[in-house]
Amino acid sequence: MTGSGFIKVQGTQLFRDGKPYKVVGVNFWQGMNMGAIEEWGGDRKRLDTELDELKSLGINMLRIMASSEGTGDEPFRMKPCLMTAPGVYNEEIFRGLDYLMDALSKRGFTAIVTLNNQWHWSGGFSQYVAWVTGDKTIPYPPSWDLKTKAYTTSGSNDDFVAYGNRFYTDESIRGKIDAIYKANIDTIINRRNTITGLVYSQDPAILAWELCNEPQFPPAWWVDDIAGHIRKAGVSQLITTGIETKYHQQDFNNAHASSHIDFCTSHFWCENWDIYDPQDKTDQSLEKTKLAVTEFMQKVTAWSQELGKPHIMEEFGMARDAHLGEKYSEKTSTTRRDGYFSTIFKVAEQLGAEGKISGTAIWAWGGQATASAQANQYGVKHIGDPPHEAPFWYSVLSSDESTKEVLKTHAHQFL
């Protein structure tokens, strides 16, 4: 293990045991469910194997989900869910989270632990709204249909975000939602791990608690209130918000200016934001993307410096070489993605040497997932791509040797 104390902030850097602490991470949102026993959809043997592989690559941080909402009948959802109704929990999934946290601690990993989601693949904001209003349907945005192997055309992203954002914009339901969310936070951070015996709020393997995955335009008052609630609960870990930093500096400041927020986050989605075209047979789109992500990282890091806080770029991904093969096939090459990741890592290494960025995390680790593998009894394959997106779009797999070498080289240079 490289350290055992809690991560702290000094200026614009993270520290552990008195030494600068940087992260080379992966998103591993499925870890909680993989940690459950087989009867509840888990696969502990595979989980341990993949964590050992990540350790061998030099990875030292995983960004994970510690909350999911729904009965399990909803589409596009993590299954089984942790919270099946307001205040009602599936203990077996909680034990899966216990197993995951113990496994991370044993290997010296830390975790950014996410407590909610703007998007529907874990339930998140929209499920809270549906619970409180009694809505039987949620206006889902276009999502991947496993039967037709295509994106549905019903719904719109804007309508879905507006529905989910009633979480903090609709005064008629906000009080009830706030009570359920804060109670859920309390249940998670005050849980005693059934394996380690540690209360989660006192587990040094947790780098930070994260309010939400990619909240869209979270109000400054909401961030301050929720982060303050976590702080007052007596957690020993850091707290962050989880925004993409997709928009303007005011949105960034709204999400990070609170005294209860310890470091800043950013995500960069080159294809989703219409910057990169994986079908482009020339190198023009890739080179434009490398320039765009470099400028983005420098800009967000500068904004973080203005706030006097560290910065972690905790999500970014790229499709496989769709100009050479099937976009969603795990057999398609990853040459452009490898070059893209290398560019991001080079910028991080430069900024890190100046004490201005604390790390990055790729989206997402898919490990041993294959298209031919049998789904479990819940129809889940534990792929890095969440259940509302096309399988193998952004997953980094154990078979992606060239990408793994890029990660390993960066870990050696950065840490």
Side-chain angles (χ1 to χ4, degrees):
M1 295 177 65
T2 56
S4 57
F6 291 99
I7 311 300
K8 303 296 183 182
V9 170
Q10 294 182 27
T12 58
Q13 296 185 74
L14 302 179
F15 280 76
R16 191 178 206 184
D17 299 332
K19 300 177 182 178
Y21 183 79
K22 298 176 184 177
V23 301
V24 176
V26 299
N27 281 270
F28 201 99
W29 58 268
Q30 66 271 33
M32 173 172 65
N33 287 78
M34 289 180 70
I37 59 175
E38 187 175 349
E39 290 81 354
W40 283 94
D43 192 337
R44 291 179 172 179
K45 181 179 179 181
R46 177 182 158 191
L47 175 62
D48 285 331
T49 298
E50 293 190 5
L51 292 180
D52 287 340
E53 182 175 18
L54 290 170
K55 182 70 174 179
S56 73
L57 298 176
I59 301 301
N60 67 346
M61 189 278 288
L62 279 69
R63 181 168 174 257
I64 65 173
M65 291 298 298
S67 188
S68 58
E69 299 81 27
T71 63
D73 297 326
E74 302 88 357
F76 321 122
R77 199 69 59 96
M78 290 173 69
K79 297 178 182 179
C81 293
L82 175 62
M83 185 164 64
T84 57
V88 180
Y89 295 88
N90 184 329
E91 174 63 19
E92 293 297 338
I93 304 306
F94 245 145
R95 287 175 181 264
L97 183 60
D98 292 344
Y99 187 92
L100 172 64
M101 289 308 307
D102 178 53
L104 296 183
S105 180
K106 286 177 177 176
R107 293 166 175 82
F109 291 117
T110 58
I112 292 177
V113 181
T114 307
L115 296 167
N116 211 324
N117 200 348
Q118 175 79 54
W119 310 115
H120 51 304
W121 52 266
S122 69
F125 282 4
S126 61
Q127 185 60 63
Y128 277 87
V129 172
W131 273 339
V132 169
T133 60
D135 291 342
K136 300 302 181 183
T137 59
I138 294 171
Y140 294 113
S143 302
W144 187 258
D145 188 320
L146 286 172
K147 293 181 180 179
T148 62
K149 294 185 177 181
Y151 280 93
T152 62
T153 56
S154 60
S156 77
N157 190 71
D158 288 346
D159 288 346
F160 174 75
V161 168
Y163 181 84
N165 278 7
R166 292 174 65 189
F167 191 93
Y168 37 60
T169 62
D170 189 335
E171 291 294 330
S172 69
I173 60 175
R174 188 170 60 79
K176 291 181 180 179
I177 285 177
D178 188 63
I180 296 170
Y181 181 37
K182 287 178 178 175
N184 183 46
I185 290 172
D186 291 344
T187 297
I188 295 168
I189 65 178
N190 292 317
R191 178 178 174 82
R192 187 175 296 276
N193 189 308
T194 56
I195 300 173
T196 67
L198 287 172
V199 176
Y200 276 32
S201 65
Q202 303 303 312
D203 186 349
I206 295 175
L207 188 163
W209 298 100
E210 187 165 85
L211 307 192
C212 181
N213 175 56
E214 300 188 338
Q216 303 294 291
F217 298 108
W221 62 261
W222 179 83
V223 172
D224 189 63
D225 179 57
I226 300 301
H229 178 85
I230 297 172
R231 185 75 72 202
K232 291 173 185 175
V235 299
S236 295
Q237 304 94 347
L238 305 179
I239 304 171
T240 193
T241 309
I243 72 164
E244 298 163 282
T245 307
K246 179 181 179 181
Y247 304 108
H248 42 69
Q249 189 172 7
Q250 185 58 56
D251 181 54
F252 177 83
N253 289 344
N254 287 344
H256 296 121
S258 168
S259 62
H260 301 302
I261 296 297
D262 295 298
F263 64 89
C264 306
T265 62
S266 68
H267 304 176
F268 190 84
W269 286 106
C270 57
E271 185 178 345
N272 305 61
W273 297 353
D274 296 324
I275 299 169
Y276 174 66
D277 178 8
Q279 305 284 352
D280 187 348
K281 295 183 181 298
T282 72
D283 290 331
Q284 183 176 356
S285 183
L286 177 63
E287 294 307 312
K288 180 179 71 172
T289 302
K290 288 181 178 180
L291 179 60
V293 75
T294 298
E295 293 175 345
F296 175 84
M297 293 177 70
Q298 293 170 339
K299 176 187 72 176
V300 176
T301 299
W303 289 353
S304 302
Q305 294 284 300
E306 288 181 28
L307 292 179
K309 299 183 179 185
H311 169 215
I312 294 179
M313 184 181 178
E314 57 177 19
E315 272 192 34
F316 55 92
M318 178 174 277
R320 292 168 181 269
D321 297 330
H323 60 297
L324 298 176
E326 293 184 38
K327 180 178 176 180
Y328 303 131
S329 169
E330 77 269 33
K331 300 183 185 303
T332 299
S333 61
T334 61
T335 303
R336 287 187 173 177
R337 185 177 69 188
D338 297 342
Y340 176 60
F341 282 6
S342 294
T343 295
I344 291 172
F345 294 153
K346 181 179 179 180
V347 176
E349 288 159 17
Q350 293 169 340
L351 292 171
E354 299 171 5
K356 294 181 178 179
I357 196 168
S358 293
T360 63
I362 64 166
W363 183 280
W365 180 254
Q368 298 180 355
T370 62
S372 60
Q374 286 293 110
N376 67 18
Q377 65 269 45
Y378 297 95
V380 174
K381 288 188 177 184
H382 297 307
I383 296 171
D385 299 290
H388 75 299
E389 291 184 343
F392 305 107
W393 186 5
Y394 293 127
S395 297
V396 175
L397 307 174
S398 297
S399 56
D400 292 332
E401 295 296 340
S402 60
T403 306
K404 286 161 52 179
E405 190 60 34
V406 170
L407 284 168
K408 190 173 184 179
T409 299
H410 172 55
H412 179 75
Q413 295 288 334
F414 191 67
L415 298 179

